[in-house]
Amino acid sequence: KAKDERGSFFRLYDAEIASEEAERRRVKSDLIQVVQSRGLEVYGQPILNLATRQVDHFEALVRWQNGSTQFIPPSNFIPLAEEIGLISEVGDFVLHEVLEHLSCWPDTLKACINVSVLQLGDGRFAENVLNSLSRQNVSPLRLEVEVTESILMEHGSGAHADLQRLRTAGITLALDDFGIGFSSLGYLQEMRFDKLKIDRKFVSEVDTSSGSAAIVRSISDLAKSLQMTCTAEGVENAGHLYCIEQCGCDYAQGFHIGEPVPLSQIEPGFVFAGGLEHVPIEVQGREP
Ligand code: C2E
Ligand code: MG
Ligand code: MG
Ligand code: MG
């Protein structure tokens, strides 16, 4: 009897692996199909300039609604797109959508796009971005490119050259999710960025942990001393907003400012609806 149970256990296990494999294959072929049919969507999340009190840029975030109900987050399908060699197609699609909308918005509104390291390195990305901008008659000053710290690890690759070429043309560069990756501060000297985006891990605790508040303040100071600006990501409530401003951040992004919405729903002149007269909140919860 024991042998029987064992046998069926393994059969079950094999079946599970096989069905996971089948599921993965299905998702892959769905992804290929949706990318080829240009069925992805691009959303934009507002970013608030704390000095002017105005939303002056949006971050483009790609969305995949598989069928009518299943939403697949980019943190799942972007790595898959990278793995199967489709990331440049995804990136081209996002860029195209963003430029189309930028050309209808007032000149004062900018957009940021996220770029995967796999899109960089062979010079084609920079070429394509600059050509697309001039074709759509959009100034490079209205585009920002966000990369994550992992790009800095790609040493000696053409990624740096590609990014610097964009920067020379007037596109600003932001280092995304700053503080949780592997980069050393030395890279910030080697590779010029215009902005640091403080990872939401620190922002989510900026109002309750003096350690997180100290990190947010230090990153903001670092940005200033290297002639960069900084954005706090994941600002979810008035307490976060108050604290990141006290810490010297230049921009706020998060559900408290506004959730990502389809680019077509973005009204030029979007104003942050939340109260900007902050209720002072003490940074409490001293760490032991
Ligand atoms: P990211 O570039 O750091 O984008 C910010 C993420 O935080 C977005 O998740 C956004 O929806 C989410 N977020 C914004 N405000 C808040 C908040 O207040 N609280 C919380 N908990 N989350 C907030 P999303 O859209 O799921 O994207 C995840 C990641 O996928 C992005 O992180 C980016 O690395 C990547 N991604 C998104 N779109 C693209 C794209 O077009 N190309 C590439 N290569 N990567 C993309
Ligand atoms: Mg980003
Ligand atoms: Mg981020
Ligand atoms: Mg919190």
Side-chain angles (χ1 to χ4, degrees):
K1 178 150 194 282
K3 193 182 162 220
D4 257 45
E5 265 167 18
R6 206 178 130 81
S8 66
F9 170 75
F10 278 107
R11 266 198 303 281
L12 223 114
Y13 186 69
D14 284 349
E16 210 171 277
I17 289 178
S19 84
E20 264 172 32
E21 237 338 283
E23 167 69 9
R24 224 177 123 69
R25 266 201 305 276
R26 197 181 57 75
V27 173
K28 265 190 199 175
S29 77
D30 284 0
L31 181 59
I32 293 171
Q33 208 257 317
V34 75
V35 170
Q36 281 168 354
S37 65
R38 305 178 80 71
L40 294 169
E41 267 191 283
V42 183
Y43 278 45
Q45 184 175 33
I47 302 175
L48 180 69
N49 179 326
L50 290 168
T52 64
R53 301 332 226 175
Q54 274 171 354
V55 169
D56 58 12
H57 57 303
F58 282 82
E59 177 172 2
L61 296 162
V62 68
R63 294 287 176 262
W64 180 16
Q65 188 79 38
N66 192 9
S68 57
T69 47
Q70 201 192 5
F71 168 75
I72 303 174
S75 51
N76 288 5
F77 74 83
I78 291 288
L80 192 62
E82 290 178 335
E83 189 188 312
I84 59 183
L86 274 179
I87 191 65
S88 289
E89 279 81 355
V90 173
D92 283 350
F93 174 76
V94 172
L95 177 69
H96 178 265
E97 293 288 300
V98 164
L99 293 184
E100 201 139 85
H101 283 88
L102 271 177
S103 63
C104 307
W105 291 341
D107 287 350
T108 46
L109 210 50
K110 282 184 72 157
C112 328
I113 53 172
N114 290 281
V115 171
S116 153
V117 68
L118 296 182
Q119 288 172 261
L120 299 167
D122 61 7
R124 273 186 312 179
F125 174 76
E127 186 75 32
N128 182 30
V129 169
L130 297 175
N131 285 340
S132 304
L133 280 165
S134 79
R135 209 176 320 118
Q136 296 271 0
N137 208 12
V138 173
S139 161
L141 301 173
R142 295 178 62 201
L143 192 66
E144 183 157 277
V145 162
E146 298 189 6
V147 296
T148 53
E149 286 176 275
S150 64
I151 248 160
L152 301 173
M153 307 301 285
E154 301 288 305
H155 233 210
S157 74
H160 287 212
D162 259 5
L163 291 173
Q164 288 310 334
R165 178 149 174 235
L166 295 177
R167 192 161 183 270
T168 305
I171 292 170
T172 49
L173 301 184
L175 189 49
D176 207 352
D177 306 335
F178 188 72
I180 57 162
F182 306 97
S183 75
S184 84
L185 296 176
Y187 287 123
L188 283 182
Q189 251 184 325
E190 237 166 85
M191 170 84 209
R192 301 294 303 159
F193 284 95
D194 302 284
K195 185 182 284 169
L196 298 179
K197 297 193 75 175
I198 306 175
D199 193 81
R200 69 163 184 267
K201 174 190 195 305
F202 307 110
V203 176
S204 69
E205 295 178 342
V206 70
D207 54 340
T208 53
S209 147
S210 53
S212 290
I215 288 172
V216 172
R217 187 181 293 278
S218 305
I219 296 175
S220 144
D221 288 348
L222 174 69
K224 255 174 215 80
S225 29
L226 293 174
Q227 280 85 51
M228 296 183 285
T229 56
C230 82
T231 301
E233 302 191 276
V235 173
E236 291 184 347
N237 54 53
H240 292 161
L241 182 57
Y242 175 79
C243 293
I244 60 116
E245 191 163 29
Q246 293 300 302
C247 289
C249 295
D250 304 291
Y251 299 95
Q253 175 178 7
F255 299 156
H256 184 63
I257 311 302
E259 297 199 7
V261 293
L263 286 183
S264 56
Q265 279 178 27
I266 291 172
E267 302 276 332
F270 179 106
V271 197
F272 171 56
L276 277 170
E277 55 305 317
H278 310 311
V279 187
I281 295 168
E282 285 290 308
V283 177
Q284 9 139 319
R286 306 262 163 242
E287 250 122 48

